[in-house]
Amino acid sequence: MFRHSKSIITKLRNLSFQGSWRSRGSSAVERALQFTEGQRIHGFTVKEVTAVPDLFLTAVKLTHDATGAQYLHGARDDSNNLFSVQFRTTPMDSTGVPHILEHIVLCGSQRFPCRDPFFKMLNRSLSTFMNAFTASDYTMYPFSTQNAKDFQNLLSVYLDAVFFPCLRELDFWQEGWRLEHETPTDPSSRLVFKGVVFNEMKGVFSDNEQIYAQHLQNKLLPDHTYSVVSGGEPLAITDLTWIQLKHFHATHYHPSNARFFTYGDLPLEQHLKQIEEEALSKFERTEPNTAVPPQTQWDKPRADHVTCSPDTLAPDPTKQNTLCVSYLLGDITDTFEAFTLNLLSSLMISGPNSPFYKALIEAKFGSDFSSSVGFDGSTRRASFTIGLQGMAQDDIEQVKHIIAQTIDDIIETGFEEERIEALLHKIEIQIKHQSTSFGLALTSYIASCWNHDGDPVQLLKISERVSRFRKCLKENPRYLQEKVQHYFKDNTHRLTLSMSPDERFLEKQAEAEEQKLQWKIKNLTEVDHKDIYEKGLQLLADQSTTQDASCLPALKVSDIEPTIPYTPVQLDTSGGVPVQYCEQPTNGMVYFRAMCNFNSLPEDLKIYIPLFCSVITKLGCGKLNYRQQAQRIELKTGGMSVSPQVIPDIDDLDLYEQGIFLTSSCLERNLPDMFQLWSDLFNSPHFNNEERLRVLVLMSAQELSNGISYSGHMYAMTRAARSLTPTADLQEMLGGMDQVKFMKRIAELTDLTSVLRKLPRIKRHLFNPETMRCAVNASPQNMSHVAGEVESFIGNIAANRKERKPVRPTVVERSLDPQAGSAASRKLISEPHFKPCQMKTYFQLPFPVNFVSECVRTVPFSHADYASLCILGSMMTDKFLHGEIREKGGAYGGGARMGGGGLFSFYSFSDPNSTKTLSAFRGGVEWVRAGKFTQQDIDEAKLSVFSAVDAPVAPSDKGLGHFLNGITDEMKQRHRERLFAVTDKNLIDVAGRYLGIGQQTCGVAILGPENETLRKDPSWVVK
């Protein structure tokens, strides 16, 4: 998987430094403190043992004696154990060699020579995470699991994959690129480029923001590896040879160039023993020449320009320019300086109180900041970027001037103390919040700094850096202003990069690909032609052969826990509002949720709900204007959000709950302040600032438009489902392509008064205690205090209570606690007259690849067949669709899954095919109906499904399923037992009964490039 630098920036706001924490007798943290510096364990020497109380962990740093491999262990009482190994990979061309290698090492190794052990292990294990990433200058292979036996199994597979891969030429053709006949079995069909990474990168660069971010990095750091595309530039990929790939592995994938990281409560000695015996003992030290030299500092600023494809869904078609100024900063291995600059970046750009937000966003020169904006610590020297997307060509010069002027203003006036406090409060919350994937967050957080020989242990000492930062500010009140002067005002190493749309961009891309293809074909001999045809047949035969995966380790279904842990929740009412209390070890945090239905909201206002949700916490409330409100939220909470929620019933497909979901968190000491903010939102939100609304509308429309290229398969699934159930129809309106187009229309309005007038009307229907229920997760010792605060909050908003008549006539009540015979209930909407219908929709979009989906209406969660359909989706994905859509078809991914709303969905993404993929979906159904699978296949599908069902749940989220959709622990246990009981007969039966042609109503959607066949076919609705 290719990760552009921006996606792994260790922005503090994206990190949450906690795991599924629990204390016990002899804790992992205490055990690790027993190690001593200089101690030798299984070929490693301990270099440092450090307690990190902030994060409840002990860090143990080691070096491998023979090879010099570096090792860091984070011992912590967290059962979700993680392993990762990363190599410094510094390519000097854009052929994508590290990225293609990342794919191919996972295609078979010496001990596990079957094809694609990585994908096969996904359903032979109970992993909570398995993947691999290619960044600009490293490649990382992480996995996590809660099962000790599983950890050893996965460790064996990962070690063998990276150090002893087969690197077969066939895998290079499949995963990298190849010349092949369009129809491999027909030598008269035309030759085309194929390959998984080739298509993946075409998909990546169908996103204009990715194009911009890639150029920005290449041009700001032109001296070495950052001047190339590590993921691969599609046409440069076709220059890579198999020999070059093998050479890159030999020079980069060596223990002397490796950094190992393990995390969790399993014993370190066991990991070291296995890593030494299975891999490192077979190597000697080398001197890898992979270091990134320092970038030469420019003596004067530079400017450049690039082009992109026009965005047909842009909020304003005449404003599609991007302009940023990017500054090269210091070395990321200076951890305190990097920390300071990261904070400084947030102060400059985050939220409506920041100087650049005021100067650029509120001046409405663009629709939003460019997604490259902010601090980037993913390269050896960090950078800071500021600028806009969605700009008019005529405003470019003025924006350059405003950026320079704003920097001058910051140097003169500095930052308010309260904003700095709000930012440090945010860090405190991130340290306290407990996530379930803490190990993964940690390995991503330390990766870049450690990659350049920085000290990863220093990075973990967050509180120390906060204290030092406070000290620097106290000793020198102009500390931050001096940094701005040095890094921005006086910095000659800065790049101004503009990007504008070119109407012929896609056409030129296609022409360049065709030219490259013809040039390759022109140089082919008769023997080459014959060879291509034969290799195509050989690859097809290989892909079609059933693989013997018996060499791979696997857990058994009997390794799965038969019962689920019980989560106690208490149901109460406060001021007539039902409240669910869940006592959890939340580490001093309180988590508040509320659900309010909108059954009384007039139909014409429904489409405005996502807009209402996105702006309601950003317009001001009570005595606070929107700037003061933003400051207060940052200073007193971990964030407040409102989002639309459509929840399908668990018994009836034509029944659903519609509402908005309120969520926030805070430190226990700030509870009254958090509820005061919610009270003000209920009682006196501000709806009087059209200028502020326009800013928020443009940002929202731009964000939706940008999201399609990387969530295309989700949009395709939502659209394909819309005609099948009332739930799906509403989901398309609120979160599908309908909503994207609606927001584009709103963004194009010159006068937003009519929209502004609708917001108070919507608020009256939504913020109504009569239709509300709440949920709170907090620590047991604090719960009675929390309950008191909830009660006073509900008292404060009582004036908004009003009984309103639902718009839809049929309302069904579901008790919140059927066992206790509770009077409190959820009010669901029934649409007994809804008629599912077939519908096929094609959206032509400026992408070079397709996103394809087909959805079928089946059964709800409580139905006896639901479990069989879950297992069916997993088995069909792994045993049939993966081979057809990815291996043979060249798409980046695809599969099938059973959804909670009773819809069985097929999907593909970054797919060079469209109708051919629809045939693969049908083929999957026929494959199951013909019973072409084994008991082993069923068991593996069960393991895969259970690894999702049993994924760890954070203390903040315990009891949430019960609160939202009424699924109790008893129901979960019943579903679990049904999953265990699924047989081959069940699978053949449900495939025929629900998915067979003509059995059920289905919907289809394709988002993708120009397609004449679909356009001319009258059975397709063309958008």
Side-chain angles (χ1 to χ4, degrees):
M1 180 171 122
F2 173 60
R3 282 185 138 185
H4 193 273
S5 59
K6 266 290 152 182
S7 65
I8 47 166
I9 292 169
T10 53
K11 284 187 173 171
L12 286 165
R13 66 165 178 267
N14 292 348
L15 253 174
S16 137
F17 292 105
Q18 289 287 330
S20 25
W21 177 63
R22 59 178 189 275
S23 67
R24 55 172 117 131
S26 164
S27 76
V29 180
E30 290 160 9
R31 285 199 309 272
L33 283 170
Q34 310 302 313
F35 293 115
T36 54
E37 202 176 311
Q39 185 179 349
R40 298 192 61 192
I41 319 165
H42 300 298
F44 288 83
T45 299
V46 176
K47 294 292 181 188
E48 185 186 337
V49 180
T50 311
V52 186
D54 277 356
L55 308 179
F56 301 103
L57 65 78
T58 301
V60 184
K61 205 153 86 172
L62 309 99
T63 307
H64 187 247
D65 303 333
T67 64
Q70 298 178 51
Y71 196 112
L72 180 67
H73 178 64
R76 198 156 177 278
D77 296 316
D78 184 349
S79 60
N80 195 17
N81 287 269
L82 174 124
F83 164 85
S84 88
V85 58
Q86 74 180 64
F87 302 95
R88 188 157 58 200
T89 45
T90 45
M92 296 307 291
D93 60 39
S94 293
T95 57
V97 59
H99 184 195
I100 293 170
L101 182 59
E102 172 230 303
H103 280 238
I104 294 172
V105 300
L106 300 172
C107 286
S109 61
Q110 283 178 21
R111 280 180 67 197
F112 309 110
C114 63
R115 196 179 70 240
D116 227 351
F118 175 78
F119 277 99
K120 291 185 171 60
M121 283 307 291
L122 282 170
N123 48 355
R124 297 169 75 88
S125 118
L126 290 170
S127 66
T128 52
F129 185 83
M130 266 180 81
N131 215 327
F133 309 119
T134 303
S136 301
D137 53 13
Y138 68 81
T139 308
M140 177 191 278
Y141 297 85
F143 72 77
S144 60
T145 177
Q146 300 177 90
N147 182 299
K149 181 178 164 192
D150 199 23
F151 191 96
Q152 290 179 353
N153 290 350
L154 289 167
L155 183 53
S156 290
V157 172
Y158 266 59
L159 289 172
D160 211 55
V162 296
F163 291 114
F164 313 108
C166 296
L167 302 182
R168 289 175 289 238
E169 193 174 12
L170 277 179
D171 295 321
F172 173 67
W173 300 337
Q174 175 183 289
E175 297 296 318
W177 77 277
R178 64 190 181 276
L179 262 183
E180 190 177 85
H181 291 283
E182 204 160 27
T183 308
T185 52
D186 177 7
S188 64
S189 64
R190 64 187 229 115
L191 286 172
V192 290
F193 288 129
K194 293 183 184 179
V196 171
V197 172
F198 177 73
N199 287 313
E200 180 191 347
M201 295 313 293
K202 281 172 86 168
V204 167
F205 291 126
S206 63
D207 176 359
N208 288 343
E209 288 291 290
Q210 282 279 15
I211 293 173
Y212 186 83
Q214 187 66 60
H215 279 296
L216 193 66
Q217 178 176 295
N218 296 160
K219 293 173 192 300
L220 183 71
L221 294 153
D223 282 8
H224 196 259
T225 192
Y226 303 125
S227 64
V228 305
V229 185
S230 65
E233 195 281 309
L235 290 189
I237 286 173
T238 62
D239 293 329
L240 183 66
T241 68
W242 178 47
I243 303 298
Q244 288 168 330
L245 178 102
K246 290 196 291 184
H247 177 71
F248 194 87
H249 180 270
T251 51
H252 290 74
Y253 278 51
H254 188 282
S256 302
N257 190 41
R259 286 151 185 80
F260 292 90
F261 176 68
T262 49
Y263 161 87
D265 62 3
L266 291 174
L268 169 61
E269 298 91 332
Q270 205 174 308
H271 302 333
L272 298 177
K273 183 174 190 285
Q274 190 176 349
I275 291 168
E276 165 67 5
E277 287 174 359
E278 294 183 11
L280 302 194
S281 59
K282 300 171 175 71
F283 290 91
E284 288 169 8
R285 188 187 294 259
T286 61
E287 295 302 327
N289 180 22
T290 57
V292 180
Q295 165 68 43
T296 314
Q297 186 80 11
W298 299 343
D299 54 5
K300 57 176 186 288
R302 298 182 186 180
D304 213 328
H305 179 78
V306 295
T307 59
C308 64
S309 165
D311 180 359
T312 48
L313 294 164
D316 182 343
T318 63
K319 293 184 173 180
Q320 292 201 34
N321 292 270
T322 296
L323 174 96
C324 287
V325 182
S326 197
Y327 302 81
L328 191 64
L329 309 176
D331 196 304
I332 58 170
T333 59
D334 181 342
T335 53
F336 180 68
E337 193 71 351
F339 174 81
T340 303
L341 291 168
N342 202 344
L343 286 187
L344 182 56
S345 161
S346 291
L347 288 167
M348 289 162 71
I349 63 166
S350 286
N353 293 297
S354 63
F356 277 116
Y357 190 102
K358 290 176 184 173
L360 294 175
I361 299 289
E362 295 192 338
K364 294 192 281 291
F365 284 111
S367 55
D368 199 351
F369 285 132
S370 157
S371 58
S372 295
V373 160
F375 176 84
D376 182 351
S378 68
T379 48
R380 178 171 170 181
R381 279 183 69 183
S383 59
F384 171 81
T385 301
I386 183 64
L388 295 168
Q389 58 181 317
M391 288 170 58
Q393 182 72 41
D394 299 349
D395 290 332
I396 283 180
E397 288 310 312
Q398 196 174 351
V399 167
K400 288 182 196 172
H401 170 72
I402 290 171
I403 289 172
Q405 182 59 51
T406 306
I407 284 172
D408 287 343
D409 294 346
I410 294 170
I411 292 167
E412 195 178 322
T413 57
F415 302 100
E416 296 161 40
E417 197 178 325
E418 198 176 46
R419 286 203 61 228
I420 297 170
E421 280 309 317
L423 203 56
L424 297 175
H425 165 259
K426 212 176 199 174
I427 294 171
E428 185 183 356
I429 279 203
Q430 280 154 350
I431 290 175
K432 285 196 172 287
H433 174 71
Q434 300 178 46
S435 88
T436 54
S437 53
F438 179 60
L440 187 62
L442 214 54
T443 194
S444 296
Y445 177 64
I446 63 174
S448 290
C449 175
W450 196 16
N451 192 49
H452 300 291
D453 301 316
D455 183 355
V457 178
Q458 276 304 315
L459 269 181
L460 304 181
K461 298 176 181 174
I462 318 266
S463 294
E464 258 180 45
R465 290 207 292 286
V466 170
S467 304
R468 185 173 161 192
F469 177 74
R470 285 189 186 280
K471 188 163 174 269
C472 291
L473 274 182
K474 198 175 174 185
E475 288 169 1
N476 175 8
R478 288 189 54 82
Y479 176 69
L480 289 173
Q481 283 130 289
E482 286 168 11
K483 295 287 178 201
V484 175
Q485 177 84 37
H486 173 69
Y487 284 108
F488 304 116
K489 177 76 174 167
D490 301 341
N491 189 350
T492 50
H493 197 120
R494 66 177 185 267
L495 171 71
T496 305
L497 182 66
S498 55
M499 179 170 78
S500 60
D502 173 357
E503 289 298 333
R504 288 199 61 240
F505 184 81
L506 285 175
E507 218 177 301
K508 287 175 183 171
Q509 259 189 342
E511 283 168 8
E513 185 176 327
E514 187 56 33
Q515 274 174 355
K516 184 85 183 249
L517 180 67
Q518 292 312 325
W519 179 79
K520 292 254 185 208
I521 292 171
K522 196 176 84 190
N523 292 318
L524 295 174
T525 64
E526 198 58 45
V527 174
D528 292 335
H529 273 282
K530 188 165 177 267
D531 197 34
I532 285 170
Y533 173 60
E534 283 171 359
K535 279 178 171 172
L537 292 179
Q538 188 188 346
L539 182 59
L540 190 61
D542 187 60
Q543 290 164 339
S544 306
T545 310
T546 305
Q547 293 286 309
D548 175 14
S550 60
C551 60
L552 287 169
L555 291 181
K556 299 187 178 72
V557 174
S558 58
D559 290 322
I560 301 168
E561 288 293 329
T563 56
I564 57 163
Y566 180 67
T567 302
V569 296
Q570 274 174 293
L571 208 67
D572 208 341
T573 55
S574 194
V577 173
V579 185
Q580 174 184 294
Y581 294 101
C582 185
E583 295 183 349
Q584 290 292 325
T586 55
N587 197 25
M589 294 284 294
V590 178
Y591 298 89
F592 169 75
R593 273 81 169 215
M595 178 83 179
C596 306
N597 76 46
F598 49 77
N599 294 348
S600 65
L601 186 74
E603 292 289 334
D604 63 312
L605 294 179
K606 267 190 187 176
I607 197 160
Y608 288 90
I609 286 176
L611 173 60
F612 174 87
C613 289
S614 79
V615 304
I616 185 65
T617 56
K618 302 184 185 95
L619 292 169
C621 61
K623 292 178 180 162
L624 308 173
N625 65 29
Y626 69 88
R627 290 191 205 285
Q628 294 163 326
Q629 178 191 31
Q631 186 88 314
R632 197 87 186 137
I633 288 173
E634 288 229 318
L635 201 53
K636 299 295 182 183
T637 79
M640 298 173 67
S641 72
V642 183
S643 55
Q645 204 76 10
V646 186
I647 303 169
D649 182 54
I650 57 175
D651 299 323
D652 181 347
L653 293 186
D654 296 324
L655 201 58
Y656 60 91
E657 185 178 18
Q658 50 180 3
I660 56 165
F661 187 47
L662 282 52
T663 171
S664 66
S665 62
C666 66
L667 298 167
E668 287 169 358
R669 64 172 187 260
N670 292 328
L671 198 54
D673 300 294
M674 179 178 82
F675 278 130
Q676 186 58 54
L677 282 161
W678 280 121
S679 299
D680 287 346
L681 274 178
F682 270 73
N683 295 333
S684 46
H686 297 183
F687 296 120
N688 53 2
N689 188 337
E690 192 193 335
E691 288 307 294
R692 174 65 177 154
L693 181 65
R694 178 166 299 284
V695 167
L696 296 172
V697 161
L698 281 173
M699 289 172 87
S700 186
Q702 184 70 57
E703 194 181 332
L704 283 173
S705 166
N706 289 353
I708 296 171
S709 63
Y710 55 81
S711 304
H713 61 300
M714 300 305 291
Y715 280 103
M717 283 195 275
T718 307
R719 170 55 70 139
R722 79 157 319 162
S723 62
L724 303 179
T725 67
T727 312
D729 190 35
L730 185 54
Q731 279 165 336
E732 167 64 24
M733 180 203 280
L734 300 179
M737 291 299 290
D738 278 2
Q739 183 61 215
V740 178
K741 296 200 161 180
F742 170 73
M743 280 306 296
K744 175 176 158 61
R745 285 204 307 278
I746 296 293
E748 285 166 355
L749 295 174
T750 47
D751 181 4
L752 287 176
T753 323
S754 63
V755 178
L756 203 53
R757 284 201 198 108
K758 288 183 170 72
L759 299 180
R761 282 178 63 202
I762 294 171
K763 179 255 160 190
R764 282 197 295 277
H765 290 276
L766 267 55
F767 282 3
N768 180 0
E770 178 69 26
T771 69
M772 180 162 102
R773 64 180 188 275
C774 304
V776 179
N777 286 27
S779 56
Q781 60 272 33
N782 206 37
M783 200 55 104
S784 59
H785 169 57
V786 174
E789 291 295 340
V790 170
E791 190 158 5
S792 56
F793 159 63
I794 290 167
N796 285 342
I797 62 169
N800 297 282
R801 190 181 205 108
K802 188 168 183 197
E803 224 176 298
R804 297 176 185 274
K805 203 166 175 263
V807 172
R808 301 273 169 118
T810 320
V811 174
V812 174
E813 297 203 18
R814 289 267 194 257
S815 171
L816 286 171
D817 193 355
Q819 269 106 348
S822 166
S825 64
R826 299 162 62 221
K827 293 174 177 57
L828 282 71
I829 297 295
S830 171
E831 299 203 17
H833 305 301
F834 182 87
K835 288 275 178 286
C837 62
Q838 303 270 94
M839 195 169 183
K840 298 200 288 188
T841 316
Y842 159 56
F843 286 90
Q844 186 183 326
L845 293 169
F847 303 153
V849 285
N850 294 283
F851 300 93
V852 185
S853 179
E854 178 178 340
C855 290
V856 185
R857 180 180 161 115
T858 61
V859 296
F861 177 79
S862 65
H863 194 284
D865 289 338
Y866 183 85
S868 298
L869 287 160
C870 289
I871 303 293
L872 180 69
S874 172
M875 185 177 78
M876 205 190 291
T877 297
D878 296 320
K879 301 299 173 186
F880 185 86
L881 295 173
H882 175 77
E884 295 297 313
I885 296 171
R886 181 174 163 127
E887 293 181 352
K888 293 181 190 172
Y892 183 45
R897 66 178 191 214
M898 183 63 193
L903 296 172
F904 191 90
S905 305
F906 298 91
Y907 61 92
S908 75
F909 47 97
S910 293
D911 189 346
N913 307 300
S914 54
T915 44
K916 189 176 161 192
T917 298
L918 291 174
S919 303
F921 296 160
R922 289 285 104 219
V925 176
E926 293 315 308
W927 173 81
V928 177
R929 291 183 71 185
K932 293 180 180 173
F933 53 89
T934 63
Q935 184 56 45
Q936 175 73 18
D937 295 341
I938 301 172
D939 289 349
E940 288 183 14
K942 287 181 182 179
L943 280 165
S944 179
V945 168
F946 274 109
S947 72
V949 167
D950 292 341
V953 179
S956 55
D957 297 333
K958 290 273 171 92
L960 203 52
H962 184 244
F963 173 72
L964 280 175
N965 38 36
I967 297 179
T968 63
D969 284 342
E970 289 74 18
M971 291 172 188
K972 285 182 188 168
Q973 184 59 34
R974 193 178 316 133
H975 173 57
R976 188 178 196 82
E977 285 156 15
R978 283 175 174 165
L979 288 171
F980 278 122
V982 171
T983 65
D984 55 346
K985 287 189 178 63
N986 296 143
L987 295 173
I988 293 167
D989 172 51
V990 294
R993 215 148 26 96
Y994 299 111
L995 308 179
I997 290 179
Q999 292 304 309
Q1000 286 289 359
T1001 313
C1002 67
V1004 179
I1006 295 176
L1007 279 63
E1010 173 82 46
N1011 189 322
E1012 234 2 75
T1013 318
L1014 297 183
R1015 199 169 262 296
K1016 287 179 176 164
D1017 184 339
S1019 71
W1020 285 84
V1021 176
V1022 179
K1023 295 279 180 183

